């Protein structure tokens, strides 16, 4: 007995020691209550750039899950829904589950619905299926409102999934309505929260209301789905009861519910907070709760009681969601838009720290902002509304941090970020791709992968290489590799142009980690040109479907570089495009650089581009002639 107790004590002490090694212990709840989350770093985003001019995190894969297409939809129906927003993520039964809200044109405009897509690897995704369909309200007349029969509901999403203690996976949504798009569906007047089971065979259980907005007049008598207690499935009922008893999970509902019946453990009605709740546990077990607009509070009893709600003044948020979590390496990340103007919904950053309280580091984890292809009300520019896998909703294999988000409230994306999250590498690059099966294995590469502009692994005659294929009229395929920072660097790679669409080019850039573009190569079907210029004396003829070996000798001391092609030096002392002290990354892409923020957007904010007067982009529904380029044997010295 004594030996057993001693062994338990030793194990406990070892666990505490390991935890202390991984995490610095945060200040006490009393000492941190005035600002539960603090960014202590010196870097701040530059409003001139979509990536904020911030260092890029190493090993981030941004994958497009859903590409809106009004004319040729992959989502259900004859007309594609082009407002897609508020995604949520879970990992259950060895599979990713991602649900998101759809509106046909714009925000707060019916018809709306919630759809779900699945994936086994986070890269290849199913087409979405409807899990919460369009909903028509009955006629209601009382002293406070008149709702005509057949009024279409407007859905709103503040919670996606719940994995119950008995293993059941529940998915959830909220039905509301808006008199006009200027009215909000999340002010407490909506109908109520619905729930249904996601089953292992891919089917779904019936839809039930799990909580009505009874204070707003909604109940079993005037709604279209039954109350959950009418279910005969005992395991489903037990899962619902466990969800209702979980004060942390259900605090996500307050914004849409707003009842004062004692269901919620904190009164948010007078604070200005309450929107888009997320949370994580610090190393000492204290819960940090984060809401929109910089609000935060802490709980030492898993959400039963809370400190006063305060503002995290160092998080420059912009009205979009903020996500916080503990990562698999034992550290912490806050994913949000650290907006330079406090209006624009970019850049997408991860603030990183060790203790869940102080966050000394900031990295950009998506450097691109896509053009908005379809007009619609309130379609803010940029990646936004980030969500990860909430505690208890699964953990995919590997150590990556997974986040979902919408781009321009139009397309749905997922990103996996290598942990520990860092902005530099120590080892030189020597990538021949021979042992790479899928792009998931490219853990030190940053990838930007569209449905119509993917980056894949190809193989021919026993040789493996990167494949860039671009058929999107407004996007590009992109891969970026960070290498050890240096003032002089030799970089070599091979390329093979299978084809390049007329008027397009494949571009290669050497950059700093703050975004300076040192040198720029332009490759089309006939030429390789330096500094993107196809002019006499500055270009070298090439052929398609042939491998070429490029070597770049970069010297920041002289602010020049040399180009060698197939072993023959073609040019020496080519001036840098921008003056820099060092270089740190190489970028390959099937289109031109678009990282500069337009002046009007920079000065006035993204709201300039969110009105219904914007024109939809022509030809957005059709693929173009493909550009296909192969890259191999990237080596830095």
């Amino acid at each position: 007995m004594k030996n057993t107790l001693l062994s338990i004590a030793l194990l406990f002490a070892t666990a505490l020691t390991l935890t202390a090694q991984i995490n610095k212990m945060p200040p006490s709840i009393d000492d941190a209550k005035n600002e539960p989350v603090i960014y202590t770093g010196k870097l701040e985003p530059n409003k001139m750039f979509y990536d904020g001019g911030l260092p890029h995190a190493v090993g981030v894969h941004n994958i497009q899950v859903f590409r809106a297409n009004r004319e040729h939809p992959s989502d259900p129906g004859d007309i594609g829904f082009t407002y897609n927003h508020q995604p949520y993520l879970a990992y259950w039964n060895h599979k990713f589950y991602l649900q998101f809200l759809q509106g046909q044109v714009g925000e707060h405009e019916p018809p709306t619905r919630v759809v779900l897509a699945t994936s086994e690897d986070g890269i290849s995704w199913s087409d979405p299926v409807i899990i919460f369909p369009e909903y028509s309200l009955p006629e209601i007349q009382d002293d406070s409102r008149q709702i005509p029969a057949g009024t279409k509901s407007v859905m709103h999403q503040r919670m996606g999934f719940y994995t119950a203690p008995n293993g059941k996976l529940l998915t959830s949504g909220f039905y509301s309505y808006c008199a006009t798009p200027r009215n909000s569906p999340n002010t407490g007047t909506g109908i109520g929260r619905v729930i249904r089971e996601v089953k292992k065979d891919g089917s779904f259980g019936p839809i039930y209301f799990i909580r009505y907005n009874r204070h707003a007049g909604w109940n079993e008598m005037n709604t279209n789905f039954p109350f959950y207690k009418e279910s005969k499935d005992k395991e489903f009922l037990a899962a619902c009861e466990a969800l209702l008893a979980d004060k942390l999970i259900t605090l996500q509902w307050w914004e849409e519910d707003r009842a004062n019946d004692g269901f919620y453990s904190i009164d948010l009605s007078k604070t200005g907070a309450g929107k888009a709740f997320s949370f994580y546990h610090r190393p000492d077990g204290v819960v940090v709760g984060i809401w929109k607009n910089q609000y935060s509070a802490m709980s030492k009893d898993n959400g039963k009681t809370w400190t006063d709600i305060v503002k995290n003044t160092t998080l420059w948020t912009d009205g979009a969601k903020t996500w916080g979590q503990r990562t698999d390496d034992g550290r912490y990340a806050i994913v949000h838009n650290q907006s330079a103007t406090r209006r624009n919904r970019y850049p997408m950053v991860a603030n990183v720290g060790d203790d869940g309280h102080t966050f000394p580091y900031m990295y950009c984890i998506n450097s691109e902002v896509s053009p908005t292809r379809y007009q619609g009300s309130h379609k803010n520019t940029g990646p936004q509304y980030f969500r990860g896998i909430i505690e208890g909703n699964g953990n995919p294999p590997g150590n990556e941090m997974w986040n979902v988000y919408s781009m321009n409230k139009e397309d749905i994306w997922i990103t996996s970020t290598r942990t520990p999250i860092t902005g530099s590498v120590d080892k030189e690059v020597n990538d021949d791709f021979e042992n790479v099966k899928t792009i998931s294995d490219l853990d030190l590469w940053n990838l930007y992968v569209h449905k119509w502009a993917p980056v894949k692994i190809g193989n021919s005659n026993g040789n493996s290489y990167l494949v860039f294929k671009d058929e999107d009229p407004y996007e590009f395929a992109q891969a970026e590799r960070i290498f050890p920072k240096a003032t002089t660097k030799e970089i070599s790679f091979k390329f093979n142009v299978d084809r390049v669409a007329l008027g397009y080019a494949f571009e290669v850039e050497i950059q700093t980690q703050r975004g300076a573009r040192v040198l720029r190569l332009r490759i089309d079907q006939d030429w390789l040109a330096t500094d993107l210029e196809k002019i006499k004396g500055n270009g070298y003829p090439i052929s398609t479907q042939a491998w070429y070996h490029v070597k770049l000798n970069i010297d920041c001391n002289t602010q020049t570089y040399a180009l060698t092609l197939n072993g023959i030096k073609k040019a020496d002392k080519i001036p840098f495009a921008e003056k820099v002290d060092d270089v740190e990354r190489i970028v390959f892409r099937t289109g031109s650089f678009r990282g500069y923020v337009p002046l009007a957007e920079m000065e006035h904010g993204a709201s300039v581009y969110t009105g219904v007067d914007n024109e939809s982009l022509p030809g957005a529904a059709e693929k173009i002639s493909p550009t296909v380029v192969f890259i191999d044997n990237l080596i830095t010295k």
Side-chain angles (χ1 to χ4, degrees), residues 329-401:
D329 60 339
R331 303 170 82 200
Y332 292 84
I334 304 291
V335 180
H336 72 125
N337 300 120
Q338 183 86 0
S339 174
T341 65
R342 307 203 188 191
R343 292 186 297 272
N344 293 318
R345 292 187 174 178
Y346 50 79
M348 177 180 178
V349 308
N351 296 99
V352 180
D354 292 325
D355 63 1
H357 173 65
T358 56
F359 293 80
Y361 310 106
M362 183 188 299
Y363 304 105
C364 176
I365 56 176
N366 181 6
S367 61
E368 297 299 324
V369 171
S370 302
T372 301
R373 301 187 304 279
Y374 296 97
Q375 66 87 254
S377 59
H378 307 297
K379 290 182 71 173
N380 301 75
T381 302
Q384 56 195 283
Y385 270 52
F386 313 113
R387 279 296 178 262
I389 300 176
I390 204 165
E391 294 178 11
N393 274 350
N395 190 5
N399 296 319
E400 294 81 12
M401 176 180 71

Side-chain angles (χ1 to χ4, degrees), residues 204-266:
F204 307 101
I207 300 173
Y208 294 93
F209 276 99
I210 191 169
R211 182 167 166 84
Y212 295 104
N213 277 23
R214 295 184 185 275
H215 62 283
W218 302 101
N219 53 53
E220 295 88 338
M221 304 303 295
N222 58 9
T223 48
N224 295 356
F225 301 119
F227 197 43
Y228 80 98
K229 289 187 177 181
E230 294 185 28
S231 172
K232 305 301 182 183
D233 185 334
K234 292 182 179 179
E235 290 190 0
F236 172 74
L237 286 169
C240 289
E241 294 295 343
L243 170 56
L244 289 165
D246 194 321
K247 294 304 181 183
L248 277 177
I249 297 297
T250 56
L251 195 52
Q252 297 174 95
W253 302 355
W254 181 88
E255 174 185 351
E256 297 149 325
D257 187 321
R258 302 187 184 231
N260 58 2
D261 59 356
F263 181 78
Y264 299 102
S265 59
I266 182 173

Side-chain angles (χ1 to χ4, degrees), residues 491-566:
I491 302 172
S492 62
F493 61 90
K494 293 180 179 179
F495 73 87
N496 184 326
V497 176
D498 183 77
R499 71 194 80 168
V500 175
L502 183 64
Y504 290 79
F506 186 82
E507 297 186 1
V508 183
E509 294 190 0
I510 306 299
Q511 300 178 354
T512 71
Q513 263 288 57
R514 300 304 301 275
R517 302 160 64 212
V518 180
L519 69 88
R520 311 159 193 180
L521 305 181
R522 181 185 188 277
I523 302 170
D524 61 21
Q525 293 207 150
D526 305 310
W527 288 80
L528 181 154
T530 60
D531 296 324
L532 302 181
E533 305 243 0
K534 185 180 170 184
I535 60 176
K536 287 185 179 181
N538 207 21
Y540 309 97
I542 61 172
S543 300
T544 58
Q545 300 175 9
W547 284 100
Y548 290 86
H549 183 263
V550 172
K551 184 172 71 172
L552 303 168
N553 291 97
I554 299 163
D555 189 347
C556 298
N557 298 310
T558 62
Q559 299 291 295
T560 63
Y561 72 98
L563 170 68
T564 300
L565 186 62
N566 285 347

